[in-house]
Amino acid sequence: MRASELQIADLVFIRGNRLLDLPVKMFTQSKYTHVAGYCGTGLVIEAQGLRETGFEALSTYKGVVDVYRHPHLTQTQKQDIMAFVHKEVGGRYDYLLLGWEAVRHVFGVFLPHLKTKRRICSTLWADAYKSAGVNLCPQHTYPTPSDLTKSTYLKKVGTY
């Protein structure tokens, strides 16, 4: 798939291969360790540890990306999703939630977590879609990238 074939609000799932990605793969039993969303002009918006939520070149992830799309989003919904994530640019990463998710996957225990303005990659995009009236994972309050790929609303449309 070429970058020019991606559409606004497509979700870009990364098959991580760095040392820090190994625990995520182990905890979630998934090949996906990160998710970002396409915002046009070769850029994605992502929440990633050790930096503020922001823009990254899609080409950074070339060769390790699967692209998923909600095939029935309206133009208004796409605009709502993009407005939501653009407001989140500059936000902080939720390290505590990352720990909570590890407990959920390792021990099968869901711990209560106070909703904050901080986000992990998957909650950024799950909340963005919710802002447009689409709950990608109604069974998960704080979905992981793996949870998002299992959403009945998303279809894999290619590999980049």
Side-chain angles (χ1 to χ4, degrees):
M1 169 172 234
R2 285 180 256 149
S4 61
E5 297 174 86
L6 272 78
Q7 296 177 11
I8 299 297
D10 279 353
L11 295 180
V12 175
F13 290 89
I14 290 92
R15 299 180 307 276
N17 53 12
R18 299 172 300 171
L19 185 60
L20 291 174
D21 296 324
L22 293 176
V24 176
K25 285 182 178 182
M26 186 176 65
F27 293 146
T28 64
Q29 299 292 300
S30 173
K31 62 184 173 183
Y32 300 112
T33 59
H34 185 57
V35 61
Y38 190 69
C39 62
T41 63
L43 296 174
V44 295
I45 294 178
E46 62 185 357
Q48 193 171 75
L50 304 176
R51 66 183 201 129
E52 294 178 342
T53 297
F55 298 92
E56 183 64 59
L58 175 63
S59 60
T60 301
Y61 298 113
K62 187 154 180 67
V64 294
V65 165
D66 289 328
V67 180
Y68 284 69
R69 178 175 297 151
H70 184 309
H72 305 294
L73 283 180
T74 67
Q75 196 59 34
T76 299
Q77 286 174 309
K78 288 180 181 184
Q79 290 169 350
D80 291 346
I81 291 166
M82 296 317 311
F84 181 94
V85 293
H86 277 94
K87 283 191 275 182
E88 296 296 314
V89 168
R92 301 181 90 185
Y93 195 76
D94 194 341
Y95 294 99
L96 186 57
L97 180 55
L98 191 63
W100 262 229
E101 285 296 294
V103 169
R104 173 170 73 106
H105 285 282
V106 172
F107 300 108
V109 175
F110 179 79
L111 298 172
H113 181 69
L114 295 175
K115 190 97 171 150
T116 68
K117 291 190 176 208
R118 294 178 181 225
R119 309 217 187 269
I120 60 174
C121 63
S122 49
T123 60
L124 171 66
W125 286 95
D127 289 347
Y129 270 72
K130 281 181 196 172
S131 76
V134 179
N135 189 348
L136 293 174
C137 293
Q139 69 278 28
H140 297 292
T141 306
Y142 306 107
T144 64
S146 176
D147 296 330
L148 291 175
T149 62
K150 296 171 187 165
S151 172
T152 57
Y153 293 106
L154 297 175
K155 304 294 178 225
K156 184 177 173 185
V157 294
T159 298
Y160 172 77

